[in-house]
Amino acid sequence: MSELLLADRVKDLKQSGIRKIFDMVPKAKNPINLTLGEPDFDVPVAIKEAAKEAIDRGFNKYTPTQGIPQLRTAVADYLLSRNIKQDEVMITAGVSGGLVLSTLALVNPGDEVLIPDPYFVMYKQMVKIAGGVPVFLDTYPNFRLTPEILERAITPRTKLLLLNSPNNPSGTVLTAKEINALVEVIKAKNLFVIADDIYDRFVYDSDHCESIAARDIDVLLLGGFSKTYAMTGWRLGYAAGPSWLIQRMCTLQQYSFTSANSSAQYACLKAFSCDISSHIANLETRRDFIYNALRELGFNPTRPEGAFYIFTPVPSGYTSQTFIEACIEKELFMIPGDAFSEHNTHFRISFAASWDHLKRGVEVLRTMVK
Ligand SMILES: Cc1ncc(COP(=O)(O)O)c(C=O)c1O
């Protein structure tokens, strides 16, 4: 037997550009790791205690496919506090699980899915796995999606728009005004939207995060616990949307994930009352540090308003890969922009890293631009 046995849908599938770099880090002697797509703080104590208790009390079995009712209610209440009211909530295996279920439930072969570029790595591949056609909406150089860019890309084959704000990798956060302008096009064109709000708590220049899911349009909201409560390994997220879609996603979940992690669901009943504001304030200080340092070195980064990444053009003479390779030789690990983009011109730094790594990283970058 050989790889000829493999299905067509995985033949072109390559290891994610993030994983590739990630896997190289442990091989370095004294790596400076600015690759991380996860917070560097710990899971809040109340949630950890609740998880231990849930395991001890025997909550270790399958849960209802849609998730335990108490957590679905807690999520619905949280969403209401963001002015988001949807028919139904289901609990998923991370936002990744929600993305798998929703693309499989919505995308037919040949359907076009609009993806603002730069984008989270999974979007392009998941649309292709479902047989759809990713259509990239170029938002360079300032990474703001305008109604004009959106409208231009819509064709009779357009199925939906995949929107991520706060954005990974650019850190841009859509304002209420920008959302309103997009909503006009979305309504006029009767477009369905998947809103990936996983970074909704990571905003720095405002006290709350506007969501397109709070508007009167057809939308599926995906949200998660991974980033907010630093539990990327627990695999817990949620989807909220119209019943006709959530019900089919649940049926798909029955035949795939079965249910999300049981003890994590019980533990996260404590999540919404945990105060993470000091962590956000801490990240904001690091955001300011890295933004100012990059500018002082002559880079031209876009100032991140949310998430915990900064996306910056590489110095002239480099592509994103050659720049990252040169940095890796100096033990500085970051992610090349083409992992998130059809462009090959930027690199992503995660500032959810220790001060030591951030400061050492800046010193290596100083030697790169000398
Ligand atoms: C924009 C975006 N969506 C979804 C995910 C996946 O999150 P989860 O851990 O909840 O599956 C990530 C993780 O990096 C992300 O950046």
Side-chain angles (χ1 to χ4, degrees):
M1 300 250 176
S2 74
E3 58 179 48
L4 286 174
L5 207 62
L6 291 171
D8 292 342
R9 75 176 69 84
V10 298
K11 278 193 180 134
D12 291 335
L13 211 56
K14 300 202 175 61
Q15 190 188 30
S16 113
I18 299 185
R19 273 279 139 205
K20 214 161 114 189
I21 305 286
F22 212 64
D23 292 346
M24 291 165 77
V25 179
K27 294 175 194 143
K29 264 208 233 101
N30 192 11
I32 305 165
N33 188 356
L34 303 183
T35 65
L36 295 179
E38 54 195 359
D40 64 332
F41 53 87
D42 197 9
V43 178
V45 174
I47 303 180
K48 286 203 288 195
E49 291 304 322
K52 290 178 211 163
E53 201 186 311
I55 290 170
D56 287 342
R57 287 175 57 202
F59 294 125
N60 301 303
K61 307 285 198 287
Y62 299 127
T63 72
T65 303
Q66 196 155 345
I68 60 170
Q70 309 92 299
L71 186 61
R72 288 168 49 214
T73 304
V75 169
D77 288 345
Y78 169 67
L79 293 179
L80 272 182
S81 76
R82 298 187 65 207
N83 291 323
I84 299 170
K85 188 163 171 25
Q86 293 293 335
D87 292 351
E88 285 197 52
V89 171
M90 73 180 287
I91 307 300
T92 56
V95 171
S96 305
L99 281 165
V100 170
L101 297 175
S102 54
T103 37
L104 290 181
L106 288 167
V107 177
N108 272 325
D111 282 349
E112 293 177 358
V113 176
L114 306 180
I115 303 177
D117 181 349
Y119 47 81
F120 172 52
V121 283
M122 214 179 139
Y123 298 168
K124 173 179 174 178
Q125 302 306 338
M126 217 28 246
V127 168
K128 284 168 80 173
I129 288 169
V133 181
V135 173
F136 301 103
L137 312 183
D138 192 330
T139 64
Y140 285 71
N142 63 357
F143 311 126
R144 310 221 72 96
L145 179 62
T146 63
E148 294 75 28
I149 297 176
L150 176 60
E151 190 156 16
R152 259 201 313 271
I154 297 173
T155 75
R157 302 246 40 173
T158 303
K159 189 62 172 276
L160 59 93
L161 164 69
L162 242 168
L163 202 59
N164 171 221
S165 169
N167 183 267
N168 174 11
S170 71
T172 47
V173 180
L174 289 172
T175 63
K177 203 168 154 210
E178 285 173 311
I179 289 176
N180 292 342
L182 293 173
V183 163
E184 275 189 31
V185 177
I186 288 164
K187 278 188 168 169
K189 299 286 181 179
N190 207 12
L191 193 61
F192 191 80
V193 178
I194 297 179
D196 179 347
D197 280 19
I198 189 164
Y199 296 102
D200 61 352
R201 300 289 296 280
F202 296 87
V203 286
Y204 306 115
D205 301 322
S206 161
D207 59 355
H208 73 290
C209 176
E210 291 282 338
S211 178
I212 198 155
R215 301 300 198 275
D216 178 26
I217 55 167
D218 293 310
V219 57
L220 177 77
L221 179 281
L222 300 179
F225 298 88
S226 286
K227 315 282 177 179
T228 311
Y229 305 105
M231 51 172 73
T232 47
W234 290 24
R235 314 308 308 129
L236 204 65
Y238 53 84
S243 294
W244 56 264
L245 177 56
I246 295 289
Q247 283 306 319
R248 285 307 158 107
M249 287 170 61
C250 279
T251 310
L252 273 172
Q253 178 137 286
Q254 273 168 20
Y255 295 120
S256 51
F257 301 95
T258 311
S259 70
N261 180 322
S262 57
S263 47
Q265 289 189 58
Y266 285 96
C268 280
L269 293 174
K270 295 272 185 248
F272 293 105
S273 53
C274 288
D275 180 10
I276 58 153
S277 53
S278 62
H279 297 308
I280 304 297
N282 219 309
L283 280 165
E284 183 170 350
T285 319
R286 284 177 267 173
R287 185 274 309 257
D288 292 342
F289 167 77
I290 194 75
Y291 174 72
N292 292 331
L294 286 173
R295 281 183 61 93
E296 185 226 307
L297 292 178
F299 288 92
N300 187 20
T302 300
R303 186 165 179 272
E305 297 144 349
F308 36 72
Y309 312 105
I310 188 160
F311 204 52
T312 311
V314 295
S316 65
Y318 287 106
T319 65
S320 58
Q321 288 99 352
T322 57
F323 183 65
I324 292 301
E325 279 160 19
C327 291
I328 288 178
E329 277 178 24
K330 300 182 177 187
E331 306 232 295
L332 168 59
F333 292 81
M334 304 173 299
I335 309 289
D338 65 329
F340 314 93
S341 179
E342 303 307 292
H343 289 263
N344 199 6
T345 49
H346 285 57
F347 65 104
R348 187 192 81 173
I349 287 177
S350 164
F351 53 86
S354 70
W355 279 105
D356 173 51
H357 282 230
L358 281 175
K359 286 180 177 164
R360 282 167 56 212
V362 167
E363 288 321 305
V364 172
L365 289 173
R366 193 182 303 284
T367 65
M368 297 295 299
V369 292
K370 257 194 183 153

